[in-house]
Amino acid sequence: MKIVSACLMGCECRYDQKDNKVGEIEQFVKDGKAIPVCPEQLGGLPTPRNPAEIVGGDGFDVLDGTARVIDNQGNDVTEQFLQGARQALRMAQAAGAEEAILKERSPSCGSALVYDGTFSKTKRKGTGVTAALLLRHGISVRSEESLD
């Protein structure tokens, strides 16, 4: 069993209320091989919502309390991102998921790249908050881009 970013299976749950549908991931869900999750919604954030980026590090740093997640209006949404990550982990563990396929560059789901916190579309190496928490609990994480 896998968990997947809900936006990748066609849910319009991105910050801008759009999706990032990938046919192969949608099929995993249809076949009962994957459970879709949106950590940001699970953490209580609305859709649509202001875009957010990690400031001062990556998802591991957020988990350790040394970085924050801030939206483009300056609001600190770190607690919602942490809560969403914990809920996604709970769902993954309950389903016996050993793998997650998550949306690259997301402050929740990025597995190798995230935006740098300046809202300038600049990417840097790092993981999102949910990806980091899943990795810390032994669940492998990869991006949808690895399916190509």
Side-chain angles (χ1 to χ4, degrees), residues 7 12-20 40 46-51:
C7 64
E12 295 173 346
C13 57
R14 284 174 28 133
Y15 74 93
D16 57 4
Q17 205 165 4
K18 295 181 181 177
D19 69 65
N20 293 98
E40 294 168 25
T47 301
R49 59 190 164 272
N50 294 326

Side-chain angles (χ1 to χ4, degrees), residues 11-63:
C11 286
E12 295 173 346
C13 57
R14 284 174 28 133
Y15 74 93
D16 57 4
Q17 205 165 4
K18 295 181 181 177
D19 69 65
N20 293 98
K21 187 173 166 182
V22 175
E24 187 174 351
I25 291 177
E26 182 183 35
Q27 196 61 49
F28 287 150
V29 174
K30 286 181 178 179
D31 293 344
K33 296 178 181 174
I35 296 170
V37 299
C38 177
E40 294 168 25
Q41 288 182 334
L42 288 169
L45 292 171
T47 301
R49 59 190 164 272
N50 294 326
E53 295 185 6
I54 299 171
V55 175
D58 71 358
F60 288 107
D61 298 311
V62 173
L63 294 177

